[in-house]
């Protein structure tokens, strides 16, 4: 299988698996137990937290372990938007767990403004500032978009918001950024950040929330008072330890991984250039790809996520055609692909032409992918895309005649 | 993703007090450089240079924040300034002055501030003389920032430009720890409990250049391993300033049980403390320490009255350093918070002082009476056995995060 859907999820790597198994079968103690087995579990928890803090540029007690990105986003949005209903700003291209949580709050009387994006998927900071209100209680903008790979200028936004006098909380969903961008949480300028482990070769069902201040946020779950009363529930220690290892590895191999992803991206984009009726939504060859050696302002993409739009073609048909060739890609966001008839909200937000909007697939690589796999993908695309486009065209032509 | 990626950072270091020390100056300086090298060696490409009685640290951009953090914890530094380094071209110097000012102005709401430019020009090959360059840069800054006003007497922001092989510009002067370079003032044994005071006490002595080793007393299984972990954590936090700490852990349980069985209950605390002093003295002598350090503050608890202190001092032959003796609890807590030991200190684990806490304690013990009580015990045997079961660990600031 050629797996090119790493923005959906990634395989657990052996170094992580080894630890997960160890903490499931040998060091399986409950962190809350008073005996040595519990103490050892607690020490492991502390090590995991310390290791993550070191690699994420924050303090250990600023991290709260959760079950993943969705929980983190829900915790933050539901609890920050409580009390007297006010106003919140979220970007139009957020993940469903942010948009739906915000929508739920809307039903409770909160007003939500969606920050628009340009054709590259970058948020419009000026418009965000213009829609601030005295009763704005939250601004939430993701760090890396899951469908396009756009890096949002979150630090710049935070700085601009503060300069404009906004004192409320700023949140970022960093689920797609984790492992792809070097993160220094304390200098990012946000108050809250949520992420999950399984997008960077960690286990599923585990994630974390970063909180810059020690100000208590009311928990979503009540119970045994774990995580200093912030999140009750027996610690998923195998998951947490696995996540810490995955983050540490991703961070220490960041430049190698970037280089690898960059080369795969170049290879893919050069191949796409020669295809008719194909458009790259995630920047072009050479330009606008994130480069750790350069400063970036906006309209920049992580190299691992490449959205491709094909004219006159149905993305899901292409997806299954590639699947026949044993190549796994995604059409838009995995979470919304079940809703066949609707286009992704992200593609609507960037104002993609109607000829292309139905034909967008997402290729997402990881350091496990090889150039030969990209070559195979390109061969299949070269062979199959013209056929699919011709089929649709002839179908339409017949349709018009009738 | 700042615009200063790959910037070659330079930091100017100042050390005041040690410069005063006459003939010993070389010794103190050498020690300071050695300590810095030790702490900075984990950041590849970091260089320390000495020039005209000043130290400079150069580092790669990737490690800039970490290097600043090390400097903030180095004893003997009065202050330091991150500087911008540019080539000796006027345009580059102008730009650097503007960037530095932009950074400095962030602290001033509305970007209104008074300033002054000071130029030093050891490199006489540079054509523009100091006063001319100063007024030129002043003009450039006034042009660039409308909220600026010149004040040559008491400026809020001072822009310093030094013209050497390159131009060095800085505005920020960050206050350092002060004190004396670590390991220039002998070695002492700290009695480290899990409380708020003793880590602060160790920190303060270390700041005066005293090398610190620690001894901790526990009563396992009456106390838990978690409580011991907490003390190790405190030692690690102290090691963030000292580099590393050798910690000795001694089980006091047999001694406490012997006291409970043989002596008046209100003397439990004071007798235990005498044993701690005696055991600490043994270990200190063994480790060539010239003094003991405690976190005692006069009158804070019953055993820390003047009489109590007389009785515990009587159990040691070494000088006892008590840097907190005249300090109020709130002030001690403020230091604990600043050095990041407070949160760990208040974790709710029993330490061995609270397990064998009697209902009533003697507040004005007499040396003679307490010696009398002690004679009911096999003092030397108890001490010997306690020390023979001692464990030793070297604790470093960076936890290894073993998984």
């Amino acid at each position: 299988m050629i797996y090119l859907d790493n923005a959906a999820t990634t395989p657990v790597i052996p170094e992580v698996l080894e630890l997960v198994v160890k903490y499931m079968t040998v060091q399986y103690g409950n962190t809350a137990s008073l005996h040595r087995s519990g103490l050892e579990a607690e020490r492991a928890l502390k090590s995991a937290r310390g290791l993550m803090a070191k690699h994420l540029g924050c303090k250990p007690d600023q991290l709260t372990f959760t079950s993943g990105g969705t929980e983190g986003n829900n915790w933050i949005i539901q609890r920050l938007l409580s009390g007297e209903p006010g106003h919140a700003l979220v970007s139009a291209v957020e993940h469903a767990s942010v948009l739906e949580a915000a929508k739920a709050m809307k039903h409770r009387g909160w007003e939500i403004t969606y920050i628009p994006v340009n054709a590259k998927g970058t948020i419009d900071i000026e418009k965000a500032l213009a829609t601030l209100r005295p009763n704005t209680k939250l601004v939430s903008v993701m760090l890396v978009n899951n469908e396009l790979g756009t890096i949002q200028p979150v630090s710049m936004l935070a700085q601009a918001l503060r300069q404009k006098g906004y004192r409320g909380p700023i949140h970022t969903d960093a689920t797609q950024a984790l492992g792809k961008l070097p993160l220094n949480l304390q200098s990012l300028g946000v108050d809250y950040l949520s992420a999950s482990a399984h997008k960077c070769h960690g286990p599923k069902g585990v994630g974390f929330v970063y909180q810059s201040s020690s100000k208590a946020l009311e928990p979503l779950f009540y119970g045994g008072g774990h995580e200093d009363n912030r999140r009750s529930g027996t610690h998923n220690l195998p998951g947490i330890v696995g996540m810490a290892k995955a983050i540490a590895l991703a961070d220490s191999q960041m430049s190698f991984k970037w280089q690898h992803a960059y080369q795969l991206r170049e290879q893919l984009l050069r191949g796409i250039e020669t295809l008719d009726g194909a458009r790259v939504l995630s920047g072009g060859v050479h330009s606008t790809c994130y480069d750790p050696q350069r400063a970036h302002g906006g309209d920049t993409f992580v190299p691992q996520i490449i959205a491709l739009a094909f004219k006159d073609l149905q993305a899901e048909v292409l997806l299954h055609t590639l699947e026949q060739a044993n190549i796994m890609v995604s059409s838009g966001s995995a979470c919304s692909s079940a809703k066949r008839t609707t286009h992704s909200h992200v593609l609507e937000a960037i104002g993609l032409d109607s000829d292309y909007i139905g034909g967008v697939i997402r290729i997402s690589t990881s350091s496990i992918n090889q150039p030969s796999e990209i070559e195979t993908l390109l061969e299949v695309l070269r062979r199959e895309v013209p056929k699919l486009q011709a089929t649709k065209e002839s179908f339409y032509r017949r349709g018009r005649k009738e | 993703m700042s615009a200063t990626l790959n910037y070659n950072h330079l930091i100017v270091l100042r050390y005041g007090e040690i410069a005063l020390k006459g003939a010993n100056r070389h010794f103190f300086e050498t020690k300071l450089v050695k300590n810095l090298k030790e702490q900075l060696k984990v950041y590849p490409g970091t260089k320390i240079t000495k020039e005209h009685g000043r130290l400079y640290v150069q580092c790669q951009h990737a490690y800039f924040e970490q290097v600043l953090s090390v400097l903030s914890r180095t004893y003997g530094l009065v202050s330091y300034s991150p500087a911008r380094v540019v080539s000796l071209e006027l345009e580059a110097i102008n730009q650097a002055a503007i960037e530095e000012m932009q950074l400095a102005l962030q602290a001033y709401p509305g970007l209104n501030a008074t300033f002054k430019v000071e130029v030093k020009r050891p490199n006489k090959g540079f054509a523009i003389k100091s006063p001319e360059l100063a007024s030129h840069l002043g003009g450039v800054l006034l042009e660039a920032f409308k909220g600026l006003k010149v004040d040559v007497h008491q400026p809020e922001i001072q822009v310093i430009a030094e013209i050497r092989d390159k131009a060095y510009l800085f505005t920020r002067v960050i206050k350092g720890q002060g004190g004396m370079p670590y390991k220039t003032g002998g070695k002492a044994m700290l009695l480290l409990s899990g409380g708020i005071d003793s880590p602060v006490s160790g920190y303060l002595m270390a700041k005066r250049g005293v090398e610190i080793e620690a001894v901790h007393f526990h009563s396992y299984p009456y106390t838990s391993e978690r409580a011991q972990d907490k003390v190790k954590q405190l030692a690690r936090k102290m090691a963030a300033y000292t580099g590393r700490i050798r910690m000795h852990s001694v089980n006091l349980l047999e001694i406490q049980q012997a006291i409970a069985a043989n002596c008046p209950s209100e003397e439990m605390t004071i007798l235990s403390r005498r044993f701690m002093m005696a055991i600490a003295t043994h270990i200190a002598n063994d480790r060539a320490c010239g003094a003991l350090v405690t976190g005692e503050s006069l009158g804070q608890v019953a055993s820390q009255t003047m009489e109590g202190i007389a009785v515990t001092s009587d159990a040691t032959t070494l000088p006892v350093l008590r840097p907190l003796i005249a300090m109020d609890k709130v002030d001690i807590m403020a230091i604990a918070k600043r050095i990041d030991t407070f949160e760990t200190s208040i974790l709710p684990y029993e330490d061995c002082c609270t397990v064998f806490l009697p209902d009533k304690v003697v507040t004005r013990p007499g040396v003679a009476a307490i010696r009398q009580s002690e004679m009911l015990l096999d003092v030397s045997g108890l001490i010997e056995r306690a020390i023979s079961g001692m464990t030793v660990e070297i604790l470093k600031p960076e936890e290894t995060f073993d998984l």
Side-chain angles (χ1 to χ4, degrees), chain A residues 77-97:
Chain A
I77 290 167
Q78 290 193 39
R79 289 314 187 216
L80 286 177
L81 304 192
S82 61
E84 179 80 4
H87 170 247
L89 267 175
V90 300
S91 93
V93 293
E94 292 300 302
H95 184 261
S97 57

Side-chain angles (χ1 to χ4, degrees), chain A residues 19 22-23 31 33-34 36 38-39 42-44 46-48 50-51 54 292-295, chain B residues 1-3 5-6 65 106 220 225-226 229 232-233 236 343 349 398-403:
Chain A
L19 276 175
K22 179 178 152 195
Y23 283 91
T31 53
S33 296
L34 290 178
R36 184 169 302 137
L39 173 61
E42 194 189 303
R43 280 182 183 151
K46 204 169 153 194
S47 283
L51 187 64
K54 185 179 145 193
Q293 302 295 320
R294 279 197 346 238
Chain B
M1 281 177 274
S2 76
L5 285 171
N6 280 345
E65 293 299 324
Q106 285 176 1
Y220 187 78
E225 275 186 66
R226 277 185 168 84
D229 272 13
K232 284 177 198 163
Q233 181 66 27
R236 285 200 184 92
E343 293 297 327
Y349 302 120
E398 189 85 329
E399 282 182 87
T400 47
F401 308 121
D402 286 330
L403 292 172

Side-chain angles (χ1 to χ4, degrees), chain B residues 45-186:
Chain B
T46 306
K47 272 192 301 190
I48 303 168
T49 45
K50 207 168 101 176
E51 202 184 307
H52 312 296
R54 251 200 203 168
L55 288 174
Y56 297 89
V57 173
Q58 264 171 293
C59 70
Q60 294 185 34
H61 174 72
Y63 303 122
F64 183 58
E65 293 299 324
Q66 287 99 317
V67 168
L68 280 184
S69 163
V70 165
L71 297 178
S72 76
R73 285 179 274 113
T74 301
Y75 295 131
L77 288 183
V78 173
S79 67
Y80 49 95
S81 297
R84 252 164 239 271
V85 190
V86 292
S87 60
L88 294 175
E89 290 152 33
L90 199 55
E91 198 43 52
I93 297 171
N94 292 348
Q95 192 54 35
I98 289 172
E99 285 169 16
E100 265 303 304
M101 180 55 84
Q102 199 148 25
L103 215 64
L105 273 176
Q106 285 176 1
Y108 297 88
L111 308 182
N112 292 311
T114 58
F115 82 110
K116 161 189 176 179
V117 181
E118 201 176 298
V119 176
K120 289 174 189 153
R121 191 182 55 123
N123 177 359
K124 300 298 176 200
F126 188 74
I128 309 169
K129 284 183 178 154
S130 300
E132 278 99 85
L133 184 58
S135 75
H136 162 77
L137 288 176
V140 167
L141 292 170
L142 284 170
E143 181 74 26
F145 303 96
K146 299 297 163 213
L148 282 181
K149 255 196 239 146
V150 176
D151 181 347
V152 291
H153 302 295
Q154 284 184 311
E156 287 169 314
I157 299 171
Q158 200 162 2
V159 181
I160 293 155
E162 297 189 1
I163 306 301
R164 298 172 184 272
D165 56 325
K166 289 182 175 174
Y168 302 114
L169 284 98
F170 58 89
T171 55
R172 284 176 292 169
V173 178
I174 304 169
K175 200 166 174 287
Q177 285 287 329
M180 306 292 286
Y182 193 55
K183 294 190 193 179
T184 56

Side-chain angles (χ1 to χ4, degrees), chain A residues 123-190:
Chain A
I123 53 154
D124 187 331
I125 293 182
E126 288 310 315
K127 285 217 173 101
L129 296 178
T131 45
L132 269 180
R133 299 187 201 163
N135 68 342
T136 303
K137 295 286 165 58
L138 172 69
V139 177
S140 179
V141 173
M142 69 202 328
L143 203 47
V144 171
N145 181 266
N146 49 320
E147 294 191 34
L148 302 171
T150 317
I151 303 171
Q152 298 296 1
V154 170
S155 282
M156 277 164 68
L157 171 72
Q159 219 169 9
L161 285 167
R162 296 304 183 217
Q163 263 168 16
K164 190 109 194 280
Y166 173 69
R167 292 279 161 268
I170 301 170
H171 165 244
T172 189
D173 173 1
T175 301
Q176 287 294 350
L178 191 64
K180 298 190 182 86
L181 291 178
L183 293 177
N184 189 318
L185 303 194
Q186 283 186 317
S187 60
L188 197 58
V190 301

Side-chain angles (χ1 to χ4, degrees), chain A residues 46-119:
Chain A
K46 204 169 153 194
S47 283
R49 203 188 301 273
L51 187 64
M52 280 173 54
K54 185 179 145 193
H55 286 281
L56 296 171
C58 66
K59 291 183 194 150
D61 56 9
Q62 291 176 315
L63 298 173
T64 305
F65 296 119
T66 66
S67 64
T70 295
E71 181 190 331
N73 289 338
N74 269 277
W75 179 29
I76 291 159
I77 290 167
Q78 290 193 39
R79 289 314 187 216
L80 286 177
L81 304 192
S82 61
E84 179 80 4
H87 170 247
L89 267 175
V90 300
S91 93
V93 293
E94 292 300 302
H95 184 261
S97 57
V98 167
L99 289 178
E100 292 300 315
K103 203 160 113 191
M105 296 300 107
K106 209 167 161 180
H107 294 313
R108 293 184 201 170
W110 285 79
E111 283 181 86
I112 312 289
T113 306
Y114 299 94
I115 306 170
V117 296
N118 64 15

